[in-house]
């Protein structure tokens, strides 16, 4: 029991330290680069859910972003450095990061598709979207 209490206090101290220093909890967990991927994804989700458009696309990128409803109620998941061994189709797009999009759009049913993973390239101006991989809901329950 004492170890759980100590762990909880250490976690609280880390969150308080992050808040006082201006560092986000995401930055503590994922590092500053990972936190930037999360924030950019939250911005993309907000852009798309509110109007179905975003200026976060890389120049010349041909990305299927879907409609505003595909992004409603969604949020950023866990950022990862791009791994070519798993995402072979995205290799030619030269992404450096990918992140899953969590939650389901309202009214989604088995067989429906929705944005599942977003891929980013790092540029001098920040992150830009090079691809979105769509997922299909197989089972709801």
């Amino acid at each position: 029991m004492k170890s759980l209490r100590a762990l909880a206090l250490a976690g609280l101290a880390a969150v308080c330290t992050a808040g006082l220093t201006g560092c986000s909890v995401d930055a503590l967990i994922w590092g500053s680069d990972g936190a930037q991927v999360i924030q950019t994804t939250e911005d993309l989700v907000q852009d798309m859910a509110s109007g179905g458009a975003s200026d976060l696309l890389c120049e010349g990128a041909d990305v299927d972003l879907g409609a505003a409803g595909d992004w409603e109620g969604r949020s950023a998941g866990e950022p990862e450095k791009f791994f070519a061994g798993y995402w072979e189709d995205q290799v030619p797009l030269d992404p450096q990061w990918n992140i899953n999009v969590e939650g389901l759009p309202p009214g989604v049913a088995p067989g429906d598709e929705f944005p599942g993973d977003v891929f980013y390239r790092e540029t001098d101006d920040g992150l830009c979207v090079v691809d979105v991989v769509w997922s299909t809901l197989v089972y709801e329950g």
Side-chain angles (χ1 to χ4, degrees):
M1 189 63 142
K2 284 187 177 187
S3 63
L4 286 175
R5 186 176 301 163
L7 184 60
L9 288 174
L12 180 61
V15 169
C16 289
T17 300
L20 292 173
T21 62
C23 181
S24 73
V25 174
D26 286 336
L28 283 175
I29 297 170
W30 303 106
S32 61
D33 290 340
Q36 182 61 39
V37 173
I38 291 170
Q39 185 56 56
T40 302
T41 305
E42 291 294 346
D43 293 345
L44 175 67
V45 168
Q46 177 63 35
D47 288 351
M48 293 305 301
S50 64
S54 177
D55 61 357
L56 291 171
L57 284 138
C58 292
E59 187 175 327
D62 182 23
V63 181
D64 178 8
L65 294 172
D70 298 323
W71 297 87
E72 289 178 19
R74 313 295 305 283
S75 63
E78 300 177 357
E80 299 176 349
K81 287 277 195 181
F82 177 73
F83 177 63
Y86 187 77
W87 297 105
E88 294 177 12
D89 291 345
Q90 284 67 36
V91 170
L93 303 173
D94 191 31
Q96 284 80 45
W97 289 93
N98 60 282
I99 187 169
N100 59 309
V101 183
E102 296 183 340
L104 294 173
V108 71
D112 290 346
E113 293 185 331
F114 51 89
D117 292 272
V118 180
F119 295 81
Y120 293 102
R121 182 181 305 141
E122 295 174 349
T123 70
D124 291 339
D125 297 326
L127 296 171
C128 64
V129 178
V130 293
D131 199 15
V132 173
V133 171
W134 287 67
S135 299
T136 303
L137 182 62
V138 175
Y139 173 77
E140 187 175 17

